[in-house]
Amino acid sequence: MTQGAFITIEGIEGAGKTTCMQVLADRIEAHGIPLLQTREPGGTALGEDLRELLLGHRHTGMADDTELLLMFAARAEHIQRRIQPALDQGQWVLCDRFTDATYAYQGAGRDIPGERIAILEQWVQGALRPELTIVMDLPVAQGLERAGKRSTPDRFESEQAAFFERVRQGYLDIARREPGRVQVVDASRGLEEVTAGIAQVIDDFIGARNG
Ligand code: T5A
């Protein structure tokens, strides 16, 4: 059986990832492709518990390495229990954030060297990498304003704007290094334009893959 495609969506807070997940899912499912929609950190019972620890305010000030290792602990569980089995069965997997978020937040944001993250990436993922990653890019102030309107800030959303500037730049650096995998969508536009941009990216991908 052909392996399913692994697709991820990334961006700073309030970029519109959650909103656009449904657009992507609808386009994929319209082609009759079986799809698993999931998110990180999370996606499993254990992963969702780790998400609470990571996003909640109970452990404000946790060590950067602890944060990094908890992200990869959740990811190990997620890959072994859900992502890899789904791909092996030919399902496509659409994931709200994955390891690019670790390079952007723990790497660029918290200044953990990329080489250390790469060791964990290799250990936890083996050869597994997303085939397509959509980075939703917008100015930090605009993203934080949108996120702030939606809910009270979690532990990450309570960071200073300078942190998110580094995270945004971290994503753009990944996109520059890997243009074949990463597509940047201008998320600062109105929802209709953004979703049209997203739809174009996924339609092109489906067309090329099913070729
Ligand atoms: N993290 C995660 C790490 O540090 N390392 C890692 O390895 C991983 C995997 C997860 C946190 O964990 C961190 C990063 C994150 O801080 P999360 O909930 O997945 O948290 O991520 P958030 O960015 O917090 O999710 P948000 O829900 O804030 O952002 P979204 O999903 O990008 O935005 P969305 O769709 O909820 O939209 C926000 C608001 O804006 C509106 C929406 O209606 C909504 O109200 N909106 C728009 N308004 C106008 N125009 C548009 N184009 C709009 N698009 C959306």
Side-chain angles (χ1 to χ4, degrees):
M1 176 173 296
T2 317
Q3 279 259 324
F6 183 29
I7 300 165
T8 58
I9 183 160
E10 301 275 1
I12 59 165
E13 333 297 301
K17 299 177 302 299
T18 311
T19 310
C20 288
M21 281 281 283
Q22 201 48 53
V23 176
L24 292 169
D26 289 347
R27 309 293 281 210
I28 294 167
E29 284 171 340
H31 285 79
I33 299 166
L35 179 70
L36 169 67
Q37 278 188 70
T38 186
R39 68 171 180 182
E40 290 213 346
T44 64
L46 175 54
E48 292 293 329
D49 285 353
L50 291 173
R51 180 185 177 92
E52 263 187 54
L53 289 176
L54 282 159
L55 270 58
H57 289 280
R58 232 177 102 208
H59 302 290
T60 296
M62 80 168 63
D64 293 349
D65 281 348
T66 309
E67 184 179 283
L68 172 67
L69 291 165
L70 287 176
M71 289 293 176
F72 270 104
R75 187 161 297 138
E77 186 75 5
H78 197 196
I79 292 169
Q80 290 183 36
R81 307 268 177 240
R82 295 200 71 203
I83 295 176
Q84 196 61 59
L87 293 172
D88 289 345
Q89 285 166 20
Q91 269 184 284
W92 285 27
V93 175
L94 176 58
C95 193
D96 188 342
R97 298 190 182 280
F98 195 64
T99 304
D100 292 312
T102 313
Y103 281 105
Y105 283 76
Q106 283 66 53
R110 303 256 193 251
D111 213 19
I112 295 179
E115 304 79 58
R116 287 173 69 186
I117 299 173
I119 293 168
L120 292 170
E121 180 181 37
Q122 185 57 37
W123 176 12
V124 167
Q125 296 172 217
L128 179 69
R129 300 288 182 277
E131 243 178 86
L132 169 68
T133 296
I134 297 169
V135 169
M136 302 192 61
D137 180 60
L138 80 175
V140 167
Q142 195 181 0
L144 292 182
E145 194 196 332
R146 282 187 195 164
K149 276 193 198 147
R150 192 214 42 213
S151 58
T152 48
D154 63 31
R155 195 173 63 85
F156 284 97
E157 286 163 356
S158 307
E159 290 288 341
Q160 301 295 311
F163 173 81
F164 295 107
E165 294 290 357
R166 294 196 296 277
V167 172
R168 181 187 185 196
Q169 193 53 52
Y171 276 128
L172 293 176
D173 289 344
I174 295 170
R176 208 190 50 245
R177 283 197 303 270
E178 296 187 62
R181 171 177 70 90
V182 181
Q183 299 283 324
V184 179
V185 169
D186 177 2
S188 69
R189 301 168 294 172
L191 199 50
E192 216 168 289
E193 275 178 278
V194 174
T195 52
I198 292 270
Q200 187 63 56
V201 171
I202 195 67
D203 287 350
D204 289 349
F205 178 80
I206 294 169
R209 204 172 193 276
N210 291 347

